[in-house]
């Protein structure tokens, strides 16, 4: 921290000082270059100043085409195909003699591109020119224009695609900020005092100082030794209210004849988490503001290619009486690794596996459930966590209807002690029809939302290879919400994680779901 604070202070001074005489900073990257400062330091300073309303900032994205190492070589020396053409004399040359003029890898590229352009004839004995002259090296000219950032907007999309396909250029996406003065703008940031000292009181300086806010409700550090605190926390996690309710929910599923799905993959690809569920790639849930994407490894390398192609087709142009979404589906988006946002990613894998089994033997109806952690990029407060538990159940069988779904839900929730249910139409990308589930809560004296449900869409199931007359009904809810209601907890941070209260476990009886006490 000692190294980074001076850098941020310097960056803050630069930003505030510039805005004293200018209306705005249009691009933080250009500003960082002009100020000869690291952009990361400028970005951190802008975020901090925005939080304290010294400035108002807006995120901007800038796309720039850059030459790859191979592209830089071609920009300097020319492309292999032109160099090969110029190496062929008018009378021709043997392939062996021509090959001596190039490295093996470059010669292969040169031959392929020259043949594609119909410049050269590769005969049995001689390699000869098909045309007399090549006016200029078009690819080299394009690379030089991109390198010098001159008239790039005049380069056609076909040329950009061709250069990208040859891996001569790559797209660099830079995220930065545009900045204006904020509500609390001042040329210099005020120092925030964290302590009221004797000197301040004697000098009277305390009257003019700005003080840091204190959280008076924060708990003190535990008195136990570190190893003991960690050990007790593990016990708290194992014996917490969350664990007890989870165990009883699992028993209910098993009593209803459901099998548990493997949920040990916290890291999932965007394909199984989103694309396989017929969720479009431009859906807001796929934005980094809502999802944790991995930096290392950033992409997956193992996907069933034939299934990927069917999913791509259903997204782009539809099928099975669906119009699809009508957009250009991108494989690189599907390959991105993330922390799974729902256990439905596990359901999609299980249903695909079931579809593969159907190709070898007759279809067998299945009932699956899962209870495990999921992750969302959400601000943590008393009712939200960045990680929580999701409960999911599904039934796969022939001839299932919405009436079957309602009947199963009434059976499931009655075992939780919630027999007074209402259903409301809803929208989900991968279920149609969809329903929100509401249960009457005696303590609140009203109906509260307790889950979501629906029938998986044909656009999700049929590309997997399931028979056309097979339907899947499914429902899901968080584990934390019913646990908070049943245990009378109003802060989710007291329920899960390092703040689990051992005293809560000791003084509360084991929750008996669905059973009235005598």
């Amino acid at each position: 921290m000692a190294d980074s604070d001076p850098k941020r202070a310097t960056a803050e001074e630069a930003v505030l000082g510039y805005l004293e005489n200018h209306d705005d900073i249009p691009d933080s990257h250009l500003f960082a270059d002009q100020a000869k400062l690291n952009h990361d330091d400028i970005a951190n300073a802008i975020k901090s100043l925005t939080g304290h309303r010294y400035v108002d900032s807006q995120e901007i994205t800038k796309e720039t085409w850059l030459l790859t190492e191979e592209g830089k070589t071609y920009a300097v020396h020319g492309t292999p195909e032109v160099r090969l053409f110029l190496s062929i004399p008018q009378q021709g040359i043997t392939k062996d003699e021509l090959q001596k003029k190039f490295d093996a890898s470059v010669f292969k590229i040169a031959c392929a591109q020259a043949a594609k352009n119909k410049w050269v004839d590769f005969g049995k004995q001689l390699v000869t020119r098909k045309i007399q002259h090549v006016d200029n090296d078009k690819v080299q000219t394009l690379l030089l224009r991109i390198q010098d950032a001159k008239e790039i907007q005049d380069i056609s999309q076909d040329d950009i695609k061709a250069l990208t396909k040859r891996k001569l250029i790559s797209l660099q996406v830079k995220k930065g900020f545009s900045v204006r003065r904020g509500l609390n703008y001042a040329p210099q940031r005020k120092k925030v005092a964290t302590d009221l000292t004797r000197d301040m009181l004697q000098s009277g300086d305390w009257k003019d100082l700005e003080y840091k806010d204190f959280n008076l409700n924060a708990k003190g550090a535990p008195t136990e030794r570190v190893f003991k605190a960690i050990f007790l926390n593990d016990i708290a996690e194992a014996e917490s209210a969350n664990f007890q309710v989870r165990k009883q929910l699992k028993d209910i599923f098993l009593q209803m004849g459901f099998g548990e799905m493997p949920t040990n993959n916290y890291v999932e690809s965007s394909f199984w988490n989103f694309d396989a569920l017929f969720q479009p790639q431009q859906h807001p849930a796929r934005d980094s503001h809502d999802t944790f994407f991995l930096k290392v490894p950033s992409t997956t390398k193992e996907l069933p290619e034939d299934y990927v192609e069917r999913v791509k087709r259903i997204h782009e142009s539809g099928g099975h009486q669906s119009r699809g979404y009508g957009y250009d589906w991108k494989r690189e988006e599907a390959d991105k690794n993330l922390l799974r946002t729902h256990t439905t990613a596990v359901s999609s894998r299980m249903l695909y596996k079931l579809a593969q089994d159907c190709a070898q033997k007759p279809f067998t109806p299945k009932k699956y459930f899962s209870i495990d952690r999921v992750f969302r990029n959400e601000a943590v407060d008393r009712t939200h966590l960045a990680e929580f538990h999701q409960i999911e159940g599904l039934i796969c069988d022939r001839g299932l209807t919405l009436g079957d779904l309602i009947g199963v839900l009434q059976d499931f929730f009655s075992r939780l002690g919630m027999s007074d249910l209402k259903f409301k139409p809803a929208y989900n990308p991968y279920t149609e029809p969809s329903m929100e589930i509401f249960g009457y809560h005696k303590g609140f004296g009203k109906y509260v939302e307790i889950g979501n449900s629906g029938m998986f869409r044909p656009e999700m199931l049929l590309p997997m290879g399931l028979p056309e007359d097979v339907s899947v009904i499914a429902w899901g809810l968080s584990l934390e919400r019913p646990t908070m209601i049943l245990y009378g907890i109003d802060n989710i941070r007291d329920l899960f994680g390092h703040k689990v209260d051992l005293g809560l476990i000791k003084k509360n009886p084991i929750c008996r779901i669905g059973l009235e006490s005598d």
Side-chain angles (χ1 to χ4, degrees):
M1 289 298 293
D3 293 334
S4 62
D5 284 348
K7 292 180 181 178
R8 195 177 76 177
T10 302
E12 286 182 357
E13 290 174 8
V15 171
L16 294 174
Y18 185 87
L19 290 175
E20 186 176 8
N21 301 313
H22 300 81
D23 292 334
D24 64 351
I25 297 175
D27 188 330
S28 59
H29 281 282
L30 295 177
F31 177 77
D33 292 340
Q34 293 168 2
K36 297 181 179 179
L37 295 171
N38 184 284
H39 182 263
D40 288 341
D41 296 330
I42 292 290
N44 289 334
I46 290 171
K47 290 176 184 177
S48 178
L49 292 170
T50 301
H52 291 86
R53 301 300 303 275
Y54 279 86
V55 301
D56 292 328
S57 62
Q58 188 171 4
E59 190 173 291
I60 58 174
T61 301
K62 188 175 181 180
E63 295 183 346
T64 307
W65 287 103
L66 299 177
L67 270 59
T68 63
E69 290 303 316
E70 187 178 358
K72 291 176 183 177
T73 301
Y74 294 178
V76 174
H77 301 291
T79 58
E81 56 268 28
V82 171
R83 288 157 52 201
L84 181 135
F85 179 85
L86 296 176
S87 299
I88 301 173
Q90 291 294 334
Q91 68 275 16
I93 187 174
T94 64
K95 190 172 182 179
D96 290 341
E97 288 297 320
L98 184 60
Q99 189 169 358
K100 292 177 182 178
K101 300 175 183 288
F102 298 88
D103 292 334
S105 58
V106 175
F107 184 70
K108 184 178 179 180
I109 296 171
C111 291
Q113 293 297 325
K116 181 180 177 181
N117 295 336
K118 298 181 180 179
W119 293 349
V120 175
D121 180 37
F122 292 93
K124 291 183 178 180
Q125 296 182 347
L126 293 177
V127 180
T128 57
R129 296 183 179 183
K130 277 189 173 183
I131 58 175
Q132 292 302 311
H133 302 285
V134 174
D135 294 332
N136 59 54
D137 194 334
K138 179 184 175 182
V139 172
Q140 184 185 29
T141 302
L142 291 172
L143 292 172
L144 289 171
R145 284 172 61 185
I146 292 172
Q147 189 176 48
D148 298 335
K150 293 179 180 179
E151 301 176 0
I152 294 178
Q153 65 275 11
D154 295 334
I155 300 177
S156 70
Q157 286 300 310
D158 288 340
D159 286 335
I160 291 291
K161 286 182 180 179
L163 294 174
T164 305
K165 188 175 181 180
R166 290 185 66 175
K167 298 181 179 179
L168 301 180
I169 59 174
S170 62
L171 184 63
Q172 182 187 61
V173 179
K174 286 185 176 180
K175 290 189 176 181
F177 298 91
S178 62
V179 187
R180 301 181 67 86
R181 297 175 194 167
L183 185 66
N184 300 329
Y185 172 78
Q188 288 186 335
R189 184 166 184 167
K190 294 179 182 178
K191 290 185 177 180
V192 180
T194 57
D195 294 303
L196 184 63
T197 67
R198 177 182 176 183
D199 291 339
M200 292 178 190
L201 293 171
Q202 289 179 338
S203 65
D205 290 345
W206 65 273
K207 298 177 183 178
D208 302 319
L209 291 174
E210 185 176 328
Y211 296 91
K212 181 180 179 181
D213 293 334
F214 285 91
N215 181 5
L216 300 178
N217 296 320
K219 296 179 180 180
T223 57
E224 294 90 352
R225 295 180 185 177
V226 173
F227 72 87
K228 187 176 180 183
I230 294 172
F231 175 70
L232 289 175
N233 184 61
D234 290 340
I235 296 174
E237 184 71 24
E239 296 182 355
S240 65
N242 233 21
F243 183 84
Q244 298 296 338
V245 175
R246 174 177 177 168
K247 183 177 182 300
Q248 292 179 65
L249 283 166
K250 180 176 179 178
D251 290 342
I252 288 173
F253 274 114
L254 294 175
Q255 290 164 13
M256 294 176 67
F258 284 71
E260 187 170 13
M261 294 185 280
T263 56
N264 54 328
N265 284 349
Y266 290 166
V267 174
E268 191 55 272
S269 68
S270 293
F271 177 80
W272 290 110
N273 197 82
F274 293 125
D275 296 88
L277 304 181
F278 195 56
Q279 191 157 325
Q281 294 187 335
Q282 65 271 26
H283 195 279
R286 302 180 70 150
D287 190 84
S288 60
H289 294 297
D290 297 296
T291 302
F292 291 111
F293 288 94
L294 268 66
K295 287 187 176 180
V296 180
S298 60
T299 58
T300 184
K301 299 184 183 300
E302 295 181 3
L303 289 176
E305 294 300 328
D306 56 337
Y307 177 42
V308 170
E309 186 59 34
R310 295 195 296 271
V311 170
K312 176 179 185 289
R313 193 160 52 245
I314 201 78
H315 277 249
E316 289 186 339
S317 56
H320 310 293
Q321 301 182 357
S322 169
R323 293 181 297 178
Y325 290 114
Y327 71 99
D328 187 16
W329 186 89
K330 296 180 180 178
R331 175 63 182 267
E332 56 266 30
E333 285 294 324
D335 285 344
K336 289 180 180 178
N337 282 333
L338 47 80
L339 294 179
R340 67 181 179 213
T341 61
H342 50 192
T343 51
T344 315
V346 181
S347 301
S348 66
R349 283 182 176 273
M350 291 297 293
L351 290 171
Y352 174 73
K353 183 177 182 299
L354 179 61
Q356 304 317 296
D357 292 342
C358 289
Q360 307 295 328
K361 55 186 178 182
F363 168 77
T364 303
K366 295 289 183 182
K367 295 195 287 187
Y368 294 126
F369 82 95
S370 63
I371 308 173
D372 211 338
R373 296 185 192 184
V374 296
F375 307 85
R376 305 275 175 87
N377 193 359
E378 293 187 351
V380 176
D381 58 28
R382 66 190 304 111
T383 58
H384 295 86
L385 287 175
E387 61 174 303
F388 55 94
H389 292 79
Q390 183 176 337
I391 305 163
E392 183 159 335
L394 68 88
I395 300 176
C396 182
D397 202 352
R398 286 190 164 92
L400 292 174
T401 65
L402 195 64
D404 294 309
L405 175 58
I406 292 173
V408 171
L409 291 174
Q410 287 174 335
D411 183 15
F412 176 80
F413 283 102
S414 68
R415 296 170 187 255
L416 298 176
M418 304 176 192
S419 56
D420 191 357
L421 301 180
K422 285 188 176 181
F423 304 96
K424 177 183 175 183
Y427 168 77
N428 286 313
Y430 45 90
T431 58
E432 179 61 35
S434 307
M435 300 185 301
E436 290 176 346
I437 311 162
F438 292 82
Y440 188 80
H441 189 277
K442 293 180 182 179
F444 294 159
K446 63 178 182 179
Y447 286 90
V448 296
E449 184 182 352
I450 54 176
N452 219 321
S453 66
M455 301 184 68
F456 283 150
R457 296 176 66 113
E459 295 96 328
M460 172 185 165
L461 301 178
L462 295 179
M464 292 178 175
L466 286 169
E468 291 190 2
D469 59 344
V470 169
S471 302
V472 178
I473 57 177
W475 69 98
L477 63 152
S478 76
L479 173 62
E480 282 74 13
R481 175 165 289 190
T483 307
M484 290 173 70
I485 293 172
L486 293 164
Y487 275 87
I489 297 170
D490 65 352
N491 192 331
I492 195 169
R493 289 171 290 191
D494 294 332
L495 183 65
F496 177 69
H498 67 284
K499 290 189 176 182
V500 172
D501 186 5
L502 283 170
L504 176 73
I505 298 167
K506 291 176 181 177
K507 70 185 181 183
N508 272 301
I510 294 176
C511 177
R512 301 295 183 185
I513 295 178
L515 297 178
E516 297 290 338
S517 58
D518 295 331

